Amino acid sequence: MGFYSANTPEEKRVKKLTGDINISDMFKNECETRGIPIYNAYNIQKRLLHEVEQEQLHGVKEVDDRLMELLDERGKNKVTHRYVDFITNEDSASRGVIPPKGSDKKSLPPKNQIKIPPRARDGKQFLNDDELPEIEMLKKIMLQNKKIINQNKLILEQLKKLGENND
């Protein structure tokens, strides 16, 4: 069995670019070169994760563009390079994620072609209480009565034990 990750490609990309819980060293260095304080780096990371969770960003490219916008907004120093180009997109791709369900209603056969299997393994159909013959009904009632009697015996034994302990 494989490990299934619930992270979307966008969340993976944010974590790859900025770090997971702690800010990654590359992102920290990038913020220092742009003159962004460390608390603003954390704010950028939180902002990106929030926008991804709210499904405002769709796709890895939008995450990259939004990160660059936030870096440019908060940055005091002009930088010529593009930070997101340094980090590869390979790890952001979600492998093993269940694809979204399509709107194909034609994949199911018509209702009249769907066969419902019998309830028992051997293919035996069980009858309702109304359809049971009288002998089968009496056997069923007797079995239920035996179960009730056995339960009552156990209860009486427990009560006797409790009564002995109280004396």
Side-chain angles (χ1 to χ4, degrees), residues 58-113:
H58 300 287
V60 175
K61 184 167 178 1
E62 282 190 32
V63 171
D64 291 354
D65 293 341
R66 181 66 179 142
L67 175 63
M68 290 310 297
E69 284 176 25
L70 291 171
L71 285 174
D72 290 338
E73 281 177 17
R74 306 273 172 103
K76 296 179 177 80
N77 307 335
K78 290 291 178 196
V79 178
T80 58
H81 64 274
R82 188 170 152 83
Y83 170 68
V84 293
D85 294 338
F86 293 130
I87 292 129
T88 61
N89 268 339
E90 299 164 0
D91 297 334
S92 302
S94 288
R95 292 178 290 279
V97 173
I98 300 169
K101 184 177 178 181
S103 61
D104 307 29
K105 292 185 180 179
K106 298 182 181 184
S107 62
L108 294 175
K111 281 190 175 182
N112 58 2
Q113 290 182 0

Side-chain angles (χ1 to χ4, degrees), residues 3-152:
F3 176 74
Y4 176 74
S5 173
N7 290 339
T8 61
E10 292 88 2
E11 288 173 338
K12 287 181 181 180
R13 185 65 177 165
V14 170
K15 289 178 181 175
K16 181 78 175 164
L17 291 170
T18 62
D20 196 3
I21 295 170
N22 298 319
I23 299 290
S24 68
D25 292 333
M26 277 185 73
F27 188 60
K28 204 179 286 185
N29 293 339
E30 181 66 24
C31 289
E32 285 175 14
T33 58
R34 290 176 180 265
I36 300 173
I38 191 70
Y39 64 87
N40 270 343
Y42 279 106
N43 289 342
I44 290 171
Q45 180 188 35
K46 279 198 267 184
R47 184 73 202 159
L48 272 175
L49 282 172
H50 177 72
E51 288 180 10
V52 166
E53 287 171 359
Q54 296 299 317
E55 296 181 0
Q56 295 174 354
L57 301 175
H58 300 287
V60 175
K61 184 167 178 1
E62 282 190 32
V63 171
D64 291 354
D65 293 341
R66 181 66 179 142
L67 175 63
M68 290 310 297
E69 284 176 25
L70 291 171
L71 285 174
D72 290 338
E73 281 177 17
R74 306 273 172 103
K76 296 179 177 80
N77 307 335
K78 290 291 178 196
V79 178
T80 58
H81 64 274
R82 188 170 152 83
Y83 170 68
V84 293
D85 294 338
F86 293 130
I87 292 129
T88 61
N89 268 339
E90 299 164 0
D91 297 334
S92 302
S94 288
R95 292 178 290 279
V97 173
I98 300 169
K101 184 177 178 181
S103 61
D104 307 29
K105 292 185 180 179
K106 298 182 181 184
S107 62
L108 294 175
K111 281 190 175 182
N112 58 2
Q113 290 182 0
I114 297 175
K115 305 252 189 227
I116 299 172
R119 288 173 47 183
R121 273 185 265 147
D122 57 357
K124 176 183 169 188
Q125 294 280 341
F126 292 108
L127 301 173
N128 295 340
D129 287 345
D130 301 335
E131 300 168 346
L132 282 177
E134 205 171 309
I135 294 173
E136 292 294 323
M137 185 63 98
L138 289 174
K139 285 182 184 177
K140 189 175 177 182
I141 292 171
M142 284 177 48
L143 181 64
Q144 287 175 344
N145 286 341
K146 282 183 185 177
K147 288 180 183 176
I148 292 171
I149 290 170
N150 287 337
Q151 287 175 345
N152 287 342

